[in-house]
Amino acid sequence: MHRLSHPVSTPNPVTLLDPRVKLVSALALLVMVVSCTGFAFPLLAAALGLALCLWLGVPARLIFVRFAEPLFIAAVVLILKTFFSGTEPLFSVHPFGLEIVAHRDGLAEGGAIAARIAGAVAVVAAVGFATPFTDLMAALSWLRVPQGLIDVALFAWRYLFVLFDDAQVVYAAQRNRLGYAGFRRGLRSFGMLAGTLVIKAFDTSQTITTAMVQRGYDGNLPLLKHRPFRAEEVTASVLFVAAMGMLRWL
């Protein structure tokens, strides 16, 4: 679970940057990627994000898991735009006697959307891998994101892994008792697993609420205190964003 919550454990110049600097730079880059109408800049952002993830030492399997779903959506958008949008025919296929025409302008439009999806996902993944979740929440609090949203995100993040550990324990016990020996038995075991987790979640929430109230919880979670900004970090961030902005408008 530690690898899922914070995969980068070795010190790195990027991981040591102030979370606020990384977050503001990532938001600026996201705005550039989403607002771009061409291919080049979003693909450049995607390449930079992927290269940063590899440089941080993130396992290739974890990168694939993070990118698989968004890239699948990008591929679906590309296919739909190519075959069901546009006016300039590119080629046609005839499955089952039906004529399906691919359009050049639809392909271009779908490719631009897919590139923006890939670029945005790469930026978010790079920041997520380079920054602990609690640091990101503290940076969002500094940006005046509503405190209630941050508290809910922190609780959800923490107890998601608690429930995952509980699910692993129950699943291992069921497998040791041949709970998944057949399809019907496996389906019944999975239903029991889901029900057990729901009951466990309610019990855990009541226990944790009582424990936090007894320790003086007043509805606000204490977050990390930020150190003062460093001039070199801010300068490097501004130069990076400015350089990417110039490339965006080329």
Side-chain angles (χ1 to χ4, degrees), residues 18 20-21 26 28 67 77 113 117 122 134 153 188-189 196 207 211 241-242 246:
D18 192 307
R20 296 168 294 178
V21 173
F67 280 74
V77 170
I113 297 175
I117 293 175
T134 52
R188 183 168 58 251
S189 297
T196 301
T207 303
V241 172
M246 292 178 62

mmCIF file of all heavy atoms in Angstrom, residues 18 20-21 26 28 67 77 113 117 122 134 153 188-189 196 207 211 241-242 246:
data_model
loop_
_atom_site.group_PDB
_atom_site.id
_atom_site.type_symbol
_atom_site.label_atom_id
_atom_site.label_comp_id
_atom_site.label_asym_id
_atom_site.label_seq_id
_atom_site.Cartn_x
_atom_site.Cartn_y
_atom_site.Cartn_z
ATOM 1 N N ASP A 18 9.049 22.808 -3.161
ATOM 2 C CA ASP A 18 7.891 23.221 -2.381
ATOM 3 C C ASP A 18 6.619 22.749 -3.088
ATOM 4 O O ASP A 18 6.444 22.984 -4.289
ATOM 5 C CB ASP A 18 7.884 24.744 -2.241
ATOM 6 C CG ASP A 18 6.878 25.217 -1.202
ATOM 7 O OD1 ASP A 18 5.698 24.826 -1.294
ATOM 8 O OD2 ASP A 18 7.269 25.988 -0.325
ATOM 9 N N ARG A 20 3.669 23.872 -3.076
ATOM 10 C CA ARG A 20 2.910 24.988 -3.653
ATOM 11 C C ARG A 20 3.467 25.383 -5.008
ATOM 12 O O ARG A 20 2.720 25.701 -5.942
ATOM 13 C CB ARG A 20 2.925 26.167 -2.686
ATOM 14 C CG ARG A 20 2.230 25.906 -1.365
ATOM 15 C CD ARG A 20 2.527 26.983 -0.361
ATOM 16 N NE ARG A 20 3.951 26.990 0.011
ATOM 17 C CZ ARG A 20 4.507 27.871 0.850
ATOM 18 N NH1 ARG A 20 3.757 28.812 1.397
ATOM 19 N NH2 ARG A 20 5.785 27.802 1.136
ATOM 20 N N VAL A 21 4.794 25.382 -5.123
ATOM 21 C CA VAL A 21 5.433 25.730 -6.396
ATOM 22 C C VAL A 21 5.075 24.696 -7.457
ATOM 23 O O VAL A 21 4.730 25.029 -8.595
ATOM 24 C CB VAL A 21 6.961 25.840 -6.212
ATOM 25 C CG1 VAL A 21 7.653 26.039 -7.553
ATOM 26 C CG2 VAL A 21 7.306 26.983 -5.265
ATOM 27 N N ALA A 26 2.023 23.168 -12.156
ATOM 28 C CA ALA A 26 1.217 22.148 -12.832
ATOM 29 C C ALA A 26 -0.119 22.720 -13.293
ATOM 30 O O ALA A 26 -0.581 22.401 -14.396
ATOM 31 C CB ALA A 26 0.991 20.964 -11.891
ATOM 32 N N ALA A 28 -0.734 25.842 -14.133
ATOM 33 C CA ALA A 28 -0.462 26.681 -15.302
ATOM 34 C C ALA A 28 -0.235 25.831 -16.545
ATOM 35 O O ALA A 28 -0.740 26.142 -17.642
ATOM 36 C CB ALA A 28 0.760 27.564 -15.032
ATOM 37 N N PHE A 67 -2.002 5.308 -16.537
ATOM 38 C CA PHE A 67 -2.281 5.871 -17.856
ATOM 39 C C PHE A 67 -3.295 5.057 -18.658
ATOM 40 O O PHE A 67 -3.814 5.555 -19.655
ATOM 41 C CB PHE A 67 -0.983 5.986 -18.666
ATOM 42 C CG PHE A 67 -0.142 7.171 -18.328
ATOM 43 C CD1 PHE A 67 0.577 7.218 -17.149
ATOM 44 C CD2 PHE A 67 -0.067 8.263 -19.177
ATOM 45 C CE1 PHE A 67 1.363 8.304 -16.827
ATOM 46 C CE2 PHE A 67 0.707 9.362 -18.874
ATOM 47 C CZ PHE A 67 1.418 9.381 -17.685
ATOM 48 N N VAL A 77 -12.310 8.355 -28.082
ATOM 49 C CA VAL A 77 -12.640 9.663 -28.654
ATOM 50 C C VAL A 77 -12.060 9.791 -30.053
ATOM 51 O O VAL A 77 -12.726 10.292 -30.981
ATOM 52 C CB VAL A 77 -12.120 10.788 -27.743
ATOM 53 C CG1 VAL A 77 -12.243 12.148 -28.431
ATOM 54 C CG2 VAL A 77 -12.880 10.804 -26.429
ATOM 55 N N ILE A 113 -7.810 16.216 -29.448
ATOM 56 C CA ILE A 113 -8.432 15.939 -28.147
ATOM 57 C C ILE A 113 -7.658 14.857 -27.402
ATOM 58 O O ILE A 113 -7.406 14.967 -26.188
ATOM 59 C CB ILE A 113 -9.904 15.532 -28.336
ATOM 60 C CG1 ILE A 113 -10.698 16.684 -28.939
ATOM 61 C CG2 ILE A 113 -10.524 15.114 -27.004
ATOM 62 C CD1 ILE A 113 -12.135 16.329 -29.284
ATOM 63 N N ILE A 117 -5.749 15.055 -23.743
ATOM 64 C CA ILE A 117 -5.993 14.115 -22.641
ATOM 65 C C ILE A 117 -4.675 13.523 -22.155
ATOM 66 O O ILE A 117 -4.407 13.466 -20.940
ATOM 67 C CB ILE A 117 -6.956 13.009 -23.091
ATOM 68 C CG1 ILE A 117 -8.345 13.590 -23.364
ATOM 69 C CG2 ILE A 117 -7.043 11.911 -22.034
ATOM 70 C CD1 ILE A 117 -9.326 12.580 -23.938
ATOM 71 N N ALA A 122 -0.537 13.173 -18.034
ATOM 72 C CA ALA A 122 0.886 13.071 -17.727
ATOM 73 C C ALA A 122 1.310 14.126 -16.706
ATOM 74 O O ALA A 122 2.100 13.843 -15.798
ATOM 75 C CB ALA A 122 1.710 13.213 -19.012
ATOM 76 N N THR A 134 -0.607 14.281 1.334
ATOM 77 C CA THR A 134 -0.846 15.271 2.383
ATOM 78 C C THR A 134 -0.231 16.623 2.023
ATOM 79 O O THR A 134 -0.797 17.666 2.344
ATOM 80 C CB THR A 134 -0.281 14.775 3.714
ATOM 81 O OG1 THR A 134 1.093 14.388 3.541
ATOM 82 C CG2 THR A 134 -1.066 13.581 4.224
ATOM 83 N N ALA A 153 -11.327 14.669 1.454
ATOM 84 C CA ALA A 153 -10.310 13.994 0.644
ATOM 85 C C ALA A 153 -9.272 13.292 1.517
ATOM 86 O O ALA A 153 -8.855 12.162 1.229
ATOM 87 C CB ALA A 153 -9.625 15.005 -0.280
ATOM 88 N N ARG A 188 -20.822 -15.828 -4.635
ATOM 89 C CA ARG A 188 -21.374 -15.708 -3.286
ATOM 90 C C ARG A 188 -20.316 -15.177 -2.310
ATOM 91 O O ARG A 188 -20.613 -14.342 -1.452
ATOM 92 C CB ARG A 188 -21.910 -17.059 -2.830
ATOM 93 C CG ARG A 188 -22.583 -17.011 -1.457
ATOM 94 C CD ARG A 188 -23.345 -18.285 -1.161
ATOM 95 N NE ARG A 188 -22.490 -19.464 -1.206
ATOM 96 C CZ ARG A 188 -22.518 -20.393 -2.156
ATOM 97 N NH1 ARG A 188 -23.369 -20.287 -3.164
ATOM 98 N NH2 ARG A 188 -21.715 -21.435 -2.118
ATOM 99 N N SER A 189 -19.092 -15.638 -2.461
ATOM 100 C CA SER A 189 -18.013 -15.167 -1.587
ATOM 101 C C SER A 189 -17.725 -13.690 -1.818
ATOM 102 O O SER A 189 -17.474 -12.940 -0.868
ATOM 103 C CB SER A 189 -16.746 -15.993 -1.824
ATOM 104 O OG SER A 189 -16.953 -17.353 -1.496
ATOM 105 N N THR A 196 -19.242 -7.461 4.037
ATOM 106 C CA THR A 196 -18.362 -7.337 5.196
ATOM 107 C C THR A 196 -17.637 -6.000 5.196
ATOM 108 O O THR A 196 -17.484 -5.349 6.245
ATOM 109 C CB THR A 196 -17.342 -8.485 5.204
ATOM 110 O OG1 THR A 196 -18.042 -9.731 5.245
ATOM 111 C CG2 THR A 196 -16.419 -8.382 6.404
ATOM 112 N N THR A 207 -15.975 4.214 15.242
ATOM 113 C CA THR A 207 -14.834 4.124 16.160
ATOM 114 C C THR A 207 -13.897 5.309 16.010
ATOM 115 O O THR A 207 -13.451 5.916 17.000
ATOM 116 C CB THR A 207 -14.079 2.814 15.920
ATOM 117 O OG1 THR A 207 -14.968 1.710 16.068
ATOM 118 C CG2 THR A 207 -12.924 2.660 16.897
ATOM 119 N N ALA A 211 -12.967 8.296 18.699
ATOM 120 C CA ALA A 211 -11.574 8.507 19.093
ATOM 121 C C ALA A 211 -11.121 9.946 18.817
ATOM 122 O O ALA A 211 -10.424 10.555 19.638
ATOM 123 C CB ALA A 211 -10.678 7.523 18.357
ATOM 124 N N VAL A 241 7.644 27.749 -16.547
ATOM 125 C CA VAL A 241 6.308 28.065 -17.052
ATOM 126 C C VAL A 241 6.390 29.025 -18.232
ATOM 127 O O VAL A 241 5.662 28.898 -19.230
ATOM 128 C CB VAL A 241 5.433 28.634 -15.926
ATOM 129 C CG1 VAL A 241 4.111 29.142 -16.478
ATOM 130 C CG2 VAL A 241 5.191 27.580 -14.859
ATOM 131 N N ALA A 242 7.299 30.009 -18.143
ATOM 132 C CA ALA A 242 7.455 30.965 -19.245
ATOM 133 C C ALA A 242 7.961 30.268 -20.508
ATOM 134 O O ALA A 242 7.483 30.542 -21.622
ATOM 135 C CB ALA A 242 8.411 32.086 -18.832
ATOM 136 N N MET A 246 6.003 29.956 -24.068
ATOM 137 C CA MET A 246 6.527 30.360 -25.381
ATOM 138 C C MET A 246 6.372 29.223 -26.379
ATOM 139 O O MET A 246 5.993 29.465 -27.535
ATOM 140 C CB MET A 246 8.000 30.751 -25.229
ATOM 141 C CG MET A 246 8.226 32.031 -24.430
ATOM 142 S SD MET A 246 9.981 32.419 -24.238
ATOM 143 C CE MET A 246 10.462 32.645 -25.954
#
